[in-house]
Amino acid sequence: MDQKSILRQLKLIIKLMELHDENSFKIRSYQSAINTIDRGDVSIEGKSMEELQAVNGIGKSIAEVIFSIGNTGTHSYLEELLEKTPTGILEILEIKGLGPKKVKVLWEELDITSTHELLEACQAGQVAKIKGFGEKTQESIIQALEFRASNMGKWLYADIEDAMDKLAKQFSTLKGIEKTVPVGDFARKMEIISTVEWLLTSTDLKTAMKGINGLKVLEKDERKSSPFKWRGKLLDPEVQLLIHFSKPENFIEEKVLRTGNKAHLLYPLEENRTLVEVLKKDGPFNSEAELYTHLGMHFIPEELREGFIEFDLVKGNKVQHLLKEEDLKGILHNHSTYSDGKHSLKKMAEACRDLGFEYLGISDHSRTASYAGGLEIEKVQKQWEEIDALNEVMAPFKIFKGIESDILTDGNLDYPEDILGGFDFVVSSVHSSLGMDRKRATARLLKAIENPFTTILGHPTGRLLLRREGYPLDHKAIIDACAKYGVVIEINANPWRLDLDWRWVNYAMEKGVMLSINPDAHEVDGYRDMKYGVIVGRKGGLTMDMTLNAMSKEEIERYFAKRKQNIKKK
């Protein structure tokens, strides 16, 4: 197993130990080991027993567990804990806000051993009566369960991208199949996917279907399939699939029809004809580019075909200027071991430089985020000293001094002005008190935006896709305020966030608000998420000139310096 999978199993062991009232010293030992692995530059993947025991904080017994999990996926102690835990309890433990101790109370007092039973108990008002819960907790549980139920069977695009690439390669080896392309939501790179649709061309449908049915990685749904469509699922990961077939001569028409959103396909074009009508009456076309040229417009990339803004972008001659990954010159909003990052500042900087970027913005958590090792003022100053030293030896590459400052419940930032003024830039973000109503939540962010030290508004809604809903905000009011005060809005590229949502990117640009593609990386591998931020930006029509970190090192140096100069004038 890889490092993340091993850690996941270790964290499960801790939850189960707490659930079953195991020795508190033992629990602390496991937590200490996890903290060492999580926060240090420590690899446990593929290590021998001796190598594991050599890691500070990992004793013999925990090393045995790690070694066993790494090689077999489990350990006898984990199996022992699982054996005395109802399967439904494991699902309840995944609900945000319900720790092992509360789950234990629900189990013991109400005999709740499944999410279904938990929802029924909440709806009957039983949970609110338990000491330590109350009406507010009960309502939060209901919302979490309903949110979870509405997202069952759905996947993040990023989590299934590699699996779909592998499946495409398997399709391409089958007899009777000539072309294989994804269509539908997956082709448009939607952030959440329920079903991955494929379009396969074949002149021998019977042979093609036989080959697909023979793939051991797939399971066919006989009841929902037909002689011309294959329905079923990929087994690992378990993703629903729908396979369409077409003759080679109909490929372009079918691809366009099955890729574009309905609003894109039915958009009124010249002479009030729709794209569907043009395809049917003026085709066939040899390529998608030929189709759009026939319509007198620039080629529209698949991810834009939502019927949202793409035709306006074409009219404004902007499609060809959409942001590309290679346009980005630096990476802002990243964490190091100074707070809750996995890798040192030096390693984060070297990895950024080695990827070809000109600069790194380090923005560890501020002091209010004590749960994430937030930086007290002394630690901030220590980091500044290290940045100065690294900049001397790494030039012309540059590390910019940043911070991810928590937006407090009253909208203030959590450092005095003399400290805030020492940073090159400040990412202001909400991490706590996410239960505010829309009016209070918006007012909180508006105050932070008005703060002259706020450079970038970080992940505005705080959402975690498929895990929790976003902060309720008046997006227009927030974007308008950013325009007024010259604040950049982040597109957080972490696949769980993708926040700002792409549906608001174009409005921000119209108001003159710049966007910044940030990975919120807590380790060097997190830099790879930048591409998902670019996808979000492109779906919203983001161009290079409206992207903060598409600026060169010299340009962004001037940008930061000018902002700080303007603060001093005030």
Side-chain angles (χ1 to χ4, degrees):
M1 296 182 82
D2 61 24
Q3 179 134 329
K4 286 184 179 178
S5 300
I6 297 171
L7 280 170
R8 199 178 302 120
Q9 294 291 68
L10 290 175
K11 289 172 183 177
L12 175 59
I13 288 174
I14 289 177
K15 283 184 179 180
L16 294 175
M17 285 196 292
E18 291 179 351
L19 181 73
H20 295 291
D21 283 333
E22 294 285 324
N23 182 284
S24 60
F25 177 77
K26 189 174 183 180
I27 294 171
R28 284 197 299 272
S29 296
Y30 270 81
Q31 190 59 62
S32 176
I34 286 175
N35 290 343
T36 297
I37 298 163
D38 258 342
R39 294 187 181 179
D41 191 6
V42 177
S43 172
I44 56 173
E45 189 178 338
K47 291 285 191 292
S48 67
M49 279 288 298
E50 292 74 18
E51 289 171 323
L52 289 168
Q53 288 181 73
V55 176
N56 187 34
I58 297 180
K60 183 181 178 182
S61 61
I62 295 177
E64 286 176 356
V65 173
I66 294 172
F67 183 76
S68 177
I69 290 173
N71 286 281
T72 69
T74 188
H75 181 268
S76 58
Y77 182 52
L78 173 57
E79 293 301 315
E80 178 189 323
L81 290 168
L82 288 170
E83 193 174 333
K84 57 184 180 180
T85 309
T87 304
I89 291 289
L90 298 177
E91 292 181 11
I92 296 173
L93 283 168
E94 293 177 7
I95 298 171
K96 191 166 181 64
L98 279 184
K101 290 181 181 178
K102 283 194 171 182
V103 173
K104 182 178 177 63
V105 171
L106 291 168
W107 184 10
E108 291 181 341
E109 296 201 17
L110 295 179
D111 196 27
I112 290 172
T113 59
S114 71
T115 53
H116 175 71
E117 291 170 343
L118 178 57
L119 181 58
E120 285 188 340
C122 286
Q123 290 171 336
Q126 294 176 302
V127 172
K129 296 174 185 176
I130 302 174
K131 185 180 178 181
F133 282 80
E135 293 285 348
K136 191 173 180 181
T137 299
Q138 180 174 267
E139 184 56 35
S140 295
I141 293 171
I142 291 173
Q143 289 176 5
L145 287 170
E146 289 177 343
F147 184 74
R148 186 173 181 272
S150 69
N151 288 299
M152 288 294 286
K154 296 179 181 179
W155 290 86
L156 298 181
Y157 171 85
D159 281 352
I160 59 174
E161 187 182 18
D162 288 344
M164 292 306 127
D165 285 345
K166 290 177 183 175
L167 183 58
K169 289 174 183 174
Q170 287 185 282
F171 284 151
S172 68
T173 64
L174 299 178
K175 291 180 180 180
I177 294 174
E178 296 185 10
K179 290 182 181 177
T180 301
V181 292
V183 290
D185 288 354
F186 189 79
R188 297 199 310 279
K189 299 179 174 65
M190 290 292 284
E191 58 270 45
I192 296 173
I193 307 291
S194 298
T195 300
V196 177
E197 296 183 55
W198 293 91
L199 176 63
L200 277 55
T201 63
S202 177
T203 53
D204 186 352
L205 186 56
K206 187 176 179 181
T207 300
M209 194 72 83
K210 183 179 178 181
I212 293 169
N213 291 335
L215 289 176
K216 293 181 180 180
V217 297
L218 303 182
E219 181 180 290
K220 186 178 183 180
D221 187 329
E222 296 285 356
R223 187 173 58 85
K224 293 183 179 180
S225 296
S226 74
F228 306 103
K229 284 191 193 301
W230 189 99
R231 289 181 184 270
K233 63 185 178 182
L234 180 68
L235 294 175
D236 186 21
E238 194 170 302
V239 183
Q240 294 298 312
L241 301 178
L242 169 56
I243 304 174
H244 307 278
F245 297 90
S246 82
K247 294 179 180 178
E249 60 267 29
N250 298 330
F251 174 68
I252 298 301
E253 177 184 334
E254 288 292 316
K255 185 174 185 296
V256 172
L257 290 175
R258 301 206 179 276
T259 298
N261 198 337
K262 188 176 180 180
H264 176 80
L265 299 172
L266 298 180
Y267 187 87
L269 301 167
E270 58 182 35
E271 300 175 0
N272 221 30
R273 293 198 302 166
T274 66
L275 195 60
V276 174
E277 290 173 320
V278 172
L279 275 168
K280 298 290 185 184
K281 293 180 181 179
D282 299 0
F285 296 96
N286 295 316
S287 68
E288 292 173 279
E290 185 182 310
L291 163 65
Y292 288 106
T293 299
H294 176 75
L295 292 168
M297 60 179 67
H298 195 274
F299 175 77
I300 297 177
E302 291 176 338
E303 61 267 32
L304 271 178
R305 300 177 197 175
E306 298 287 352
F308 182 55
I309 56 167
E310 63 268 34
F311 294 106
D312 291 331
L313 294 176
V314 165
K315 290 172 186 174
N317 203 34
K318 294 179 181 177
V319 171
Q320 57 269 48
H321 301 297
L322 288 176
L323 182 72
K324 300 184 289 294
E325 282 186 63
E326 54 266 34
D327 293 332
L328 299 176
K329 302 296 190 294
I331 306 182
L332 303 171
H333 189 175
N334 305 284
H335 299 263
S336 71
T337 49
Y338 272 91
S339 62
D340 62 344
K342 178 182 175 182
H343 293 135
S344 68
L345 173 59
K346 183 173 185 283
K347 186 163 184 176
M348 292 293 285
E350 289 173 342
C352 182
R353 178 199 61 192
D354 293 346
L355 286 170
F357 292 100
E358 298 176 12
Y359 53 87
L360 169 74
I362 200 70
S363 46
D364 279 299
H365 286 286
S366 59
R367 60 184 179 179
T368 298
S370 55
Y371 56 88
L375 276 61
E376 294 295 340
I377 290 174
E378 297 77 17
K379 209 170 178 182
V380 167
Q381 291 166 335
K382 181 182 176 184
Q383 187 182 66
W384 286 351
E385 290 172 7
E386 184 177 354
I387 289 171
D388 288 339
L390 285 171
N391 279 337
E392 281 191 26
V393 298
M394 294 185 70
F397 182 86
K398 180 165 183 175
I399 305 169
F400 287 102
K401 300 170 183 173
I403 195 76
E404 184 178 18
S405 180
D406 263 35
I407 299 174
L408 307 179
T409 52
D410 61 2
N412 285 314
L413 305 185
D414 63 348
Y415 287 118
E417 289 190 356
D418 61 323
I419 297 300
L420 289 171
F423 293 107
D424 294 312
F425 70 100
V426 174
V427 180
S428 298
S429 307
V430 168
H431 293 105
S432 60
S433 302
L434 300 175
M436 289 183 178
D437 61 30
R438 190 169 187 256
K439 185 177 180 180
R440 288 183 64 208
T442 301
R444 180 184 184 183
L445 261 68
L446 289 176
K447 187 168 182 181
I449 292 165
E450 291 170 13
N451 190 309
F453 293 100
T454 295
T455 317
I456 301 170
L457 178 64
H459 47 72
T461 73
R463 73 181 185 183
L464 292 176
L465 294 168
L466 302 182
R467 291 183 181 177
R468 74 172 181 224
E469 292 186 90
Y471 208 43
L473 295 176
D474 180 339
H475 276 81
K476 284 192 174 181
I478 296 298
I479 292 169
D480 290 349
C482 286
K484 180 179 178 180
Y485 294 100
V487 171
V488 176
I489 298 179
E490 172 179 82
I491 295 177
N492 191 296
N494 185 309
W496 287 104
R497 293 191 182 276
L498 302 182
D499 184 19
L500 185 72
D501 189 288
W502 60 265
R503 296 159 185 85
W504 287 103
V505 168
N506 193 247
Y507 181 77
M509 291 172 60
E510 286 177 353
K511 292 295 179 178
V513 176
M514 294 194 79
L515 288 301
S516 180
I517 309 285
N518 297 331
D520 200 353
H522 285 66
E523 57 181 314
V524 296
D525 283 350
Y527 294 152
R528 292 186 295 186
D529 290 341
M530 289 290 279
K531 70 174 184 177
Y532 301 113
V534 172
I535 288 170
V536 168
R538 287 174 63 86
K539 285 186 75 68
L542 183 60
T543 52
M544 177 180 172
D545 63 302
M546 291 300 290
T547 306
L548 178 71
N549 50 320
M551 290 183 180
S552 68
K553 182 188 72 173
E554 291 73 24
E555 288 170 332
I556 207 164
E557 273 179 328
R558 290 194 293 270
Y559 179 88
F560 289 151
K562 185 177 179 181
R563 278 192 63 85
K564 292 180 72 171
Q565 191 175 18
N566 288 340
I567 293 171
K568 290 177 183 177
K569 288 179 181 177
K570 293 175 184 178

